[in-house]
Amino acid sequence: MEYKDWRHIFKLDPAKPIGADALEKICESGTDAIIIGGSDNVTLDNVIDLLMRIRRYAVPVALEVSTIESITPGFDYYFIPSVLNSSETKWVKDLHHAATKEFGEVMNWDEIIPEGYCILNPDCKAAKLTNAVNPSSEEDIIAYAEMVEYLFKFPVFYMEYSGMYGNVETVKKVKNRLKNTKLFYGGGIQTEEHARQMATYADTIIVGNQVYDNLAEALKTVQAVKTLSKQ
Amino acid sequence: MEYKDWRHIFKLDPAKPIGADALEKICESGTDAIIIGGSDNVTLDNVIDLLMRIRRYAVPVALEVSTIESITPGFDYYFIPSVLNSSETKWVKDLHHAATKEFGEVMNWDEIIPEGYCILNPDCKAAKLTNAVNPSSEEDIIAYAEMVEYLFKFPVFYMEYSGMYGNVETVKKVKNRLKNTKLFYGGGIQTEEHARQMATYADTIIVGNQVYDNLAEALKTVQAVKTLSKQ
């Protein structure tokens, strides 16, 4: 299945330990894909280690690139965030330029998926790391989405509430403005009900922390999405 | 003719006076299009004034947007520069976000053409205005081009030597890396020979200052490009 058709993703942090049993349950849960990504202590070693463990299963696996040092071959996709509300060019295009310079000639660009990333939890690590400016209104968020759809033409607009459950109405409004660009939603999904609510509007939901906090609940979000038809 | 097929463009600065005779010669020169754009003292008034004067002729006319205040309906295209080597997010995506927020609902997005802009004359006004970082090597410039082609997927990569004649070999190398993205070249084209050299590799050349410095020479660049087949 192509990434554009993914409805449910588990995001695993390579810096957090996860046992073999838990990883098996995640990989065989029926989720559409696994993303490896994190903000802190992401290294080439822990990325490769987790990749190899996941590769024992059939589930597709993508790397969300946060540092150039952790890029390694072997993933199905490489998601490249461009942080739309960062106040530093580093997170918008400078890392991207450096990575293109270093890897441009050997890259298979079909596997490289740019994400227009909008960080919506001002207290999360990613917001502090990238000096993100919190959107002051829903209109600000919608304008980021339209900028991605029409100007930057990235295939993915990612609403990242990282650790905080977001506003369903805002997600719905953003979805209504997007046509070609897919809407990814991540942040604070802890229950089946959360998953159903957000996946009603978002094309794809990403479940992260709950994997580590309450795996049984996290696993239930897979079926919650599968039994849902998008509105 | 669609903008992607343009080979020769005259760029006129709305803040610089131009007589009726000169404007007629420019508009009826056979050039493919006129771009209105500048760095200093661009106002809604002088943009509209120049647009109306050019609209007496059949030549297509585009606005290169440098300030939100100068945006007005009536152009065939709106080129939106994203300055790839600026060190301020303002020139990469913040003005774009503000414009999308203000005009998003009424915009005809088919007329909006994002340009990946690379400023290559560190002494020009645009470089100082946008706090541009001068690429330290040819590889840096090529990486910007590939970032535009593959990641940002802008339809235009613009090598802007503003007032300075650029390096033909670099233009050739950049062109060889681009597939879908069109290569615009601007800067220091004063003669037929300059025009021929750059248009041999660039998809489109832009002649600006020479219109004001030596109109007769500037006009000759049109035929120089028309009689050339691209390599």
Side-chain angles (χ1 to χ4, degrees):
Chain A
M1 198 194 317
E2 216 210 342
Y3 78 93
K4 288 191 176 185
D5 299 317
W6 294 349
R7 291 279 284 139
H8 182 285
I9 298 174
F10 280 127
K11 189 185 280 191
L12 298 182
D13 187 336
K16 290 185 185 170
I18 190 152
D21 284 358
L23 193 64
E24 180 172 353
K25 283 177 182 151
I26 291 161
C27 292
E28 303 211 321
S29 64
T31 187
D32 295 316
I34 294 179
I35 287 178
I36 295 183
S39 296
D40 280 333
N41 304 315
V42 175
T43 67
L44 184 59
D45 278 352
N46 61 27
V47 165
I48 290 179
D49 181 65
L50 187 53
L51 171 64
M52 290 304 154
R53 292 175 63 201
I54 297 170
R55 275 293 186 223
R56 297 179 53 200
Y57 306 93
V59 67
V61 55
L63 179 66
E64 188 164 74
V65 178
S66 53
T67 67
I68 293 176
E69 295 71 29
S70 66
I71 298 175
T72 173
F75 285 89
D76 296 298
Y77 292 106
Y78 298 81
F79 287 105
I80 315 289
S82 179
V83 183
L84 305 169
N85 59 328
S86 173
S87 55
E88 299 177 22
T89 58
K90 175 180 179 181
W91 306 103
V92 182
K93 52 88 183 169
D94 291 342
L95 287 173
H96 316 66
H97 179 242
T100 304
K101 190 176 169 186
E102 188 167 344
F103 298 111
E105 291 208 74
V106 297
M107 269 183 190
N108 177 353
W109 289 102
D110 294 336
E111 299 169 351
I112 310 288
I113 316 298
E115 297 173 322
Y117 222 81
C118 194
I119 300 178
L120 296 166
N121 175 356
D123 299 320
C124 74
K125 278 182 193 169
K128 293 189 198 319
L129 181 69
T130 64
N131 259 311
V133 177
N134 204 45
S136 58
S137 67
E138 203 167 56
E139 286 67 39
D140 265 356
I141 302 171
I142 289 168
Y144 280 123
E146 293 198 319
M147 188 171 84
V148 166
E149 167 84 34
Y150 294 110
L151 210 60
F152 285 75
K153 297 190 173 73
F154 290 149
V156 173
F157 180 67
Y158 196 133
M159 296 175 73
E160 175 57 282
Y161 283 91
S162 189
M164 179 177 102
Y165 190 63
N167 185 316
V168 180
E169 280 304 305
T170 305
V171 174
K172 178 180 178 178
K173 282 182 192 163
V174 167
K175 174 61 188 169
N176 285 339
R177 300 296 188 94
L178 296 176
K179 288 176 194 163
N180 297 305
T181 296
K182 296 291 179 186
L183 178 58
F184 280 24
Y185 171 88
I189 294 181
Q190 297 182 319
T191 64
E192 292 173 87
E193 180 57 19
H194 283 160
R196 260 193 300 268
Q197 280 190 326
M198 287 303 180
T200 299
Y201 305 109
D203 295 295
T204 310
I205 65 161
I206 292 94
V207 178
N209 293 342
Q210 187 70 323
V211 165
Y212 301 96
D213 297 341
N214 187 332
L215 180 59
E217 286 299 310
L219 292 169
K220 289 180 191 169
T221 62
V222 177
Q223 280 312 309
V225 172
K226 297 276 163 185
T227 55
L228 189 77
S229 58
K230 221 178 356 167
Q231 289 192 353
Chain B
M1 199 195 317
E2 218 209 341
Y3 77 93
K4 289 192 176 186
D5 299 317
W6 294 348
R7 291 279 284 139
H8 182 286
I9 298 174
F10 280 125
K11 189 184 279 192
L12 298 182
D13 186 334
K16 290 185 184 169
I18 189 152
D21 284 357
L23 194 64
E24 181 173 350
K25 283 177 181 151
I26 292 162
C27 292
E28 305 212 319
S29 63
T31 186
D32 295 316
I34 293 178
I35 287 179
I36 295 182
S39 297
D40 280 334
N41 305 313
V42 175
T43 67
L44 184 60
D45 278 352
N46 61 28
V47 165
I48 290 179
D49 181 65
L50 186 53
L51 170 64
M52 290 304 152
R53 292 176 64 200
I54 296 170
R55 275 296 185 222
R56 297 179 54 199
Y57 306 94
V59 66
V61 55
L63 180 66
E64 188 163 75
V65 178
S66 53
T67 67
I68 293 176
E69 295 71 29
S70 67
I71 299 175
T72 174
F75 285 89
D76 296 298
Y77 292 106
Y78 298 81
F79 288 105
I80 315 287
S82 179
V83 183
L84 305 169
N85 58 328
S86 173
S87 55
E88 299 177 23
T89 58
K90 175 180 178 182
W91 306 102
V92 182
K93 52 86 183 169
D94 291 341
L95 287 172
H96 316 66
H97 179 242
T100 304
K101 189 176 171 188
E102 187 168 343
F103 297 111
E105 293 208 73
V106 297
M107 267 182 190
N108 178 354
W109 289 102
D110 294 337
E111 299 169 352
I112 310 289
I113 316 299
E115 297 173 323
Y117 221 82
C118 195
I119 300 177
L120 296 165
N121 175 356
D123 299 319
C124 74
K125 279 181 190 168
K128 294 188 197 322
L129 180 70
T130 64
N131 259 311
V133 177
N134 203 45
S136 59
S137 67
E138 203 166 56
E139 287 67 38
D140 264 357
I141 302 170
I142 289 169
Y144 280 123
E146 292 197 319
M147 188 171 84
V148 166
E149 167 85 34
Y150 294 110
L151 209 61
F152 284 76
K153 298 190 174 72
F154 290 148
V156 172
F157 180 67
Y158 195 133
M159 297 175 73
E160 174 59 283
Y161 283 91
S162 190
M164 178 176 103
Y165 190 65
N167 186 318
V168 180
E169 280 305 304
T170 304
V171 174
K172 178 180 179 178
K173 283 182 191 163
V174 167
K175 173 61 188 170
N176 285 339
R177 300 295 189 94
L178 295 176
K179 288 176 194 161
N180 297 305
T181 296
K182 296 292 177 185
L183 178 58
F184 280 23
Y185 171 86
I189 295 180
Q190 297 182 318
T191 64
E192 292 172 87
E193 180 56 22
H194 285 160
R196 259 193 300 269
Q197 280 189 327
M198 287 303 180
T200 299
Y201 305 109
D203 295 294
T204 310
I205 65 160
I206 292 94
V207 178
N209 293 342
Q210 187 69 323
V211 165
Y212 301 97
D213 296 342
N214 187 334
L215 180 58
E217 286 299 310
L219 291 170
K220 289 181 191 168
T221 63
V222 177
Q223 280 312 310
V225 172
K226 297 276 163 185
T227 55
L228 190 76
S229 59
K230 220 178 357 169
Q231 288 193 355

